[in-house]
Amino acid sequence: MSATNLLAAEGTAVFEPADPSTWLISPGVINVVGGIGVAVCALALLLGVTLIFRVKGNVSRAVLADAAFYPMVGVFLTTALLRSTAITFDIAMLAGLLGILSTVGLARVVSRGRR
């Protein structure tokens, strides 16, 4: 009996990863592409945060704060590619849905509650 089968409860399915020799893309390529994706998203986040501190108007700051949220989700998703957990994609989907609410909230603050 393998160690993973010992940890599983009686009658439950155990996740066995596929053999890497049958994959279409090698793990090395996934690591390189994931690293480049993290670097690009981190650069976008850094530039967005830098612009938040450089602009003068509150409206511009609100828009840039909202725009800085999505590179954070991008960093999270690209690092999720490098891990073998499925819950991270659910968290990213929830973050994307809640990001829309922050956009609406910022629009209400900028317009001072007017419609």
Side-chain angles (χ1 to χ4, degrees):
M1 222 191 229
S2 69
T4 56
N5 288 339
L6 291 175
L7 296 176
E10 199 65 38
T12 60
V14 176
F15 174 71
E16 298 277 340
D19 181 26
S21 64
T22 62
W23 292 354
L24 294 175
I25 301 174
S26 69
V29 172
I30 292 173
N31 287 336
V32 169
V33 170
I36 291 171
V38 168
V40 168
C41 289
L43 179 66
L45 177 62
L46 181 68
L47 290 174
V49 170
T50 304
L51 279 174
I52 288 173
F53 291 114
R54 293 188 66 188
V55 297
K56 294 185 188 326
N58 288 336
V59 175
S60 297
R61 284 188 180 149
V63 170
L64 286 170
D66 191 42
F69 175 75
Y70 291 103
M72 287 190 294
V73 174
V75 168
F76 183 75
L77 278 174
T78 50
T79 56
L81 287 174
L82 306 176
R83 293 176 175 77
S84 61
T85 58
I87 191 71
T88 53
F89 296 105
D90 295 334
I91 293 169
M93 184 177 62
L94 184 63
L97 290 172
L98 292 177
I100 294 171
L101 292 177
S102 70
T103 303
V104 172
L106 285 170
R108 296 289 292 200
V109 168
V110 167
S111 68
R112 296 183 183 156
R114 293 185 308 257
R115 292 188 181 206

